[in-house]
Structure formats: structure tokens, C-alpha cells
Amino acid sequence: MKNQDIYILAIESSCDDTSAAVMRNDSVLSNVVATQKIHEEYGGVVPELASRAHQQHIVPVIHQALAKANIDKNQLSAIAFTRGPGLLGSLLVGTSFAKSLSLGLGIPLIEVNHMQAHILAHFIKDEKSGQPEFPFLAMTISGGHTQIVLVRDYFKMEILGETLDDAVGEAFDKTAKIIGLPYPGGPLVDALAQKGNPRAFPFPKPKVKGLDFSFSGLKTSILYFIQKQTAEQPDFIEQFKEDICASIQYTIVSILMDKLKKAVKQTGIKRVAIGGGVSANSGIREALQHAEKEKGWTTYIPKFEYCTDNAAMIGIVGFLKYREGAFTDQRVSAKARYNIPDQ
């Protein structure tokens, strides 16, 4: 096995993106993502529509991934897929297809934890970015999760803190909705924030013990603030939209960084990595780079294509598990709730 290349076909279908990738060992040969636009008119992901769209996209996406990689399916060593966490209907599409393809080709099947994959995406071979040394701290920030994880090894991880209610991506999208921005609102808040004053409107930061997070109170305080201001000045949002977004982003990033600084202090580990869709946010990236200079941290920020949901991150976990012989069987089922320690 050491002298032979390992080819992994990876499938990701945890939410509203259908993705397939082909890995040759730890290198990406292809990484195809089909994004579902239908949810925009509903202001959020509709689970039933998501699962139907996955059924439409999965065959052409996998075909395209194999074609781009110039790989025949008979060359594949294993099939890796997202078992969870995520929307159950969406996960079932990817899980069922992976099981069927594995059975048809007579090759091993590898289940992957989606959140673990966001962390291990840092180990995809890339000449321009370094890979973190163990142990390191990882902050996974997405639409469904906000966690600080102590990473001792590829498959030895401990959650030190997590959100008690809303995830950070959800906080971005819901506050964006409050000020009238279309879904998904997080990237739009980020774009507008770069033109505004981050200290224009101070919002309260929740007091949560330890390394846990809470964003529901912040969301409520922003709602009440907007309601009060628009009652007094109907065009308030339009007049101050950039400052509002900058203030929201500044507050959310401050909450994340306060907890991360606390985690570094508690553990003494100054190697910090981020992952998940919100790691594409310019505010958190700048804050990390600032902490690297000011506090002597070594920070690891993923390439944009590995931030949002994609199959390449599933593929790298598949490769690492293949080397360990960590295969699953046809009895495996999708799990909507799937914690990182449950490996």
C-alpha cells in the first residue's frame, strides 16, 4: 500500500450543496460542487427541497468529478461519504449512493464526520499553505456549528466549548434577514461591513461561562435595536446599512476571538486553525492574523474552496482512514446528530 497510490471518491451532501471529489492520496484531483439556488426565495434551506435537489445533482456531479480527475471508477480504492451531522434527508442521498457504489465496485466504504472533515481539511496537500502540528486548537464555525476543539491527532479530538443555542453562521444569516438582506445573508454582511464603521453601534456580548458560546441574545438585541431605530427613523437601515453590518460583524468576531484567546490561555497551545463556512469571513481572518502578530500565535486559515461544504475535505479524511484500515460496512446509516468524539 505504501508504494501504491490511493484513489478516494468522496461524496458530501450534508445540507444544500452536492459535492464530489477525487483524491490521489492527500492531493485533490477534482472537487466539484453543485449549489442549490432554490432556497434563496424561501430565505433559508428547505430540507425536503434540498434532498430532492441532491437526487438530481448527485449522478452528474460524481460523473464530472471523475471526468475532471481523468479517473475511471474501476481505479478507485474506496468511497468516502458524509455520514453526519446535517439534514437527514440530504445525508440519506449521499449515504445511499455511496453504499450502492461501494457494493457495485466491490471496494471499501468509509464514513466521515462532517465537522471533523472541516478540521482535517488543513491536511489537504497544498504547496502554498502549511499544515498544523499536533496538538492544535481548531475553531469550527458554520451555519450549524460553533465549536472549539482540541486536536491531539487526526482522530483524537476533544470539544472544549460549543454553542448553547444558535451557531455563528445562523446568527449572521438571521441578523442579515432582520435588516432586509436576502439569503444567504452572511457573505453580504461581510461585504457591507468592510465599508462601514465597526464601532458605530455597540451591541452587548453575551456572558457565557467557560468556552461555550451563545448567539440568541445578540440576535434579539439587534432585532430590538433595529425596531426602535426604524420606528424613530424609517430610513435608518438604508442610511446606515454599512455601519450596522460592520457593528454586527465586529461584535460576532469579538465573541469568537474572546473565547479563542481564553482557550489558548487555558491550554497553552498557540497553534490555531479555523474551519467551516464562516471561516471565509474577512473579519475573522483579519482578527486571526492580528492575533498571530500580537500574541505570537501560529494560525492556519483554509483556502476559500475548503471553507464551505465540499467533498475534498471528506476525501482527505477518507484517505487518512484508508491508511488506518478504518472502513465501515453496509449496515451504516446517516446520522443527523453526530458529535466529533463519536468516532
Side-chain angles (χ1 to χ4, degrees):
M1 189 184 298
K2 288 182 179 179
N3 299 323
Q4 191 174 350
D5 284 331
I6 298 165
Y7 291 96
I8 304 287
L9 171 66
I11 299 169
E12 153 62 20
S13 67
S14 64
C15 190
D16 62 335
D17 288 333
T18 313
S19 182
V22 177
M23 307 288 293
R24 182 175 60 219
N25 304 322
D26 56 352
S27 298
V28 179
L29 297 183
S30 65
N31 188 29
V32 179
V33 182
T35 302
Q36 302 174 7
K37 299 290 185 182
I38 192 169
H39 306 286
E40 293 176 5
E41 60 185 283
Y42 296 98
V45 177
V46 181
E48 178 62 25
L49 295 178
S51 60
R52 289 182 185 180
H54 282 302
Q55 291 175 40
Q56 295 171 342
H57 292 162
I58 194 162
V59 171
V61 162
I62 289 174
H63 177 78
Q64 192 177 354
L66 289 168
K68 281 191 171 185
N70 196 27
I71 292 293
D72 185 87
K73 63 181 182 294
N74 294 310
Q75 292 177 261
L76 296 172
S77 308
I79 311 293
F81 69 98
T82 303
R83 185 184 180 191
L87 300 176
L88 187 58
S90 295
L91 290 165
L92 283 169
V93 176
T95 301
S96 301
F97 196 96
K99 288 166 69 175
S100 300
L101 192 56
S102 163
L103 191 64
L105 294 174
I107 57 177
L109 185 64
I110 303 170
E111 64 174 76
V112 175
N113 181 297
H114 179 85
M115 298 313 296
Q116 186 182 56
H118 273 305
I119 295 170
L120 295 180
H122 288 278
F123 294 94
I124 294 172
K125 190 175 182 181
D126 186 347
E127 294 177 359
K128 295 182 180 178
S129 58
Q131 298 178 350
E133 294 180 10
F134 300 114
F136 66 92
L137 293 174
M139 184 166 67
T140 53
I141 41 180
S142 68
H145 294 81
T146 306
Q147 299 174 329
I148 295 178
V149 183
L150 172 57
V151 186
R152 295 189 177 91
D153 204 340
Y154 296 124
F155 304 113
K156 292 180 181 177
M157 302 183 183
E158 178 188 353
I159 297 174
L160 302 180
E162 58 189 339
T163 184
L164 303 176
D165 40 61
D166 294 347
V168 64
E170 188 179 2
F172 268 115
D173 286 339
K174 286 186 176 179
T175 53
K177 191 174 183 179
I178 290 169
I179 59 176
L181 296 177
Y183 176 85
L188 298 175
V189 171
D190 186 15
L192 288 166
Q194 294 177 49
K195 303 173 185 176
N197 176 8
R199 298 179 185 271
F201 307 110
F203 295 113
K205 291 193 286 186
K207 295 180 180 178
V208 184
K209 292 182 179 179
L211 297 175
D212 288 330
F213 299 86
S214 172
F215 292 99
S216 64
L218 173 65
K219 181 184 64 181
T220 303
S221 68
I222 293 169
L223 174 63
Y224 289 163
F225 170 79
I226 293 297
Q227 287 176 340
K228 181 177 182 294
Q229 296 299 323
T230 52
E232 297 172 0
Q233 186 180 347
D235 66 341
F236 176 78
I237 293 175
E238 201 55 43
Q239 188 174 345
F240 297 102
K241 188 174 287 184
E242 292 172 352
D243 288 346
I244 295 167
C245 289
S247 300
I248 289 170
Q249 179 151 302
Y250 176 78
T251 306
I252 291 175
V253 171
S254 295
I255 292 168
L256 295 174
M257 290 304 297
D258 286 350
K259 293 293 184 176
L260 203 46
K261 288 172 185 175
K262 191 172 184 179
V264 169
K265 188 175 181 180
Q266 284 185 10
T267 61
I269 299 170
K270 291 188 175 184
R271 290 179 292 277
V272 178
I274 57 170
V278 182
S279 60
N281 179 275
S282 66
I284 188 64
R285 285 172 173 251
E286 288 169 11
L288 271 177
Q289 289 166 350
H290 179 72
E292 186 170 52
K293 294 175 183 176
E294 186 184 65
K295 297 185 174 296
W297 295 4
T298 304
T299 61
Y300 301 89
I301 301 172
K303 293 173 71 173
F304 280 105
E305 59 258 46
Y306 303 141
C307 291
T308 53
D309 294 348
N310 68 95
M313 69 181 194
I314 306 302
I316 188 63
V317 181
F319 165 68
L320 294 169
K321 283 194 168 188
Y322 188 96
R323 293 193 310 183
E324 301 284 323
F327 307 133
T328 189
D329 58 40
Q330 290 291 324
R331 292 172 294 182
V332 69
S333 59
K335 291 184 71 172
R337 296 179 180 273
Y338 191 18
N339 292 330
I340 286 177
D342 294 346
Q343 301 299 315

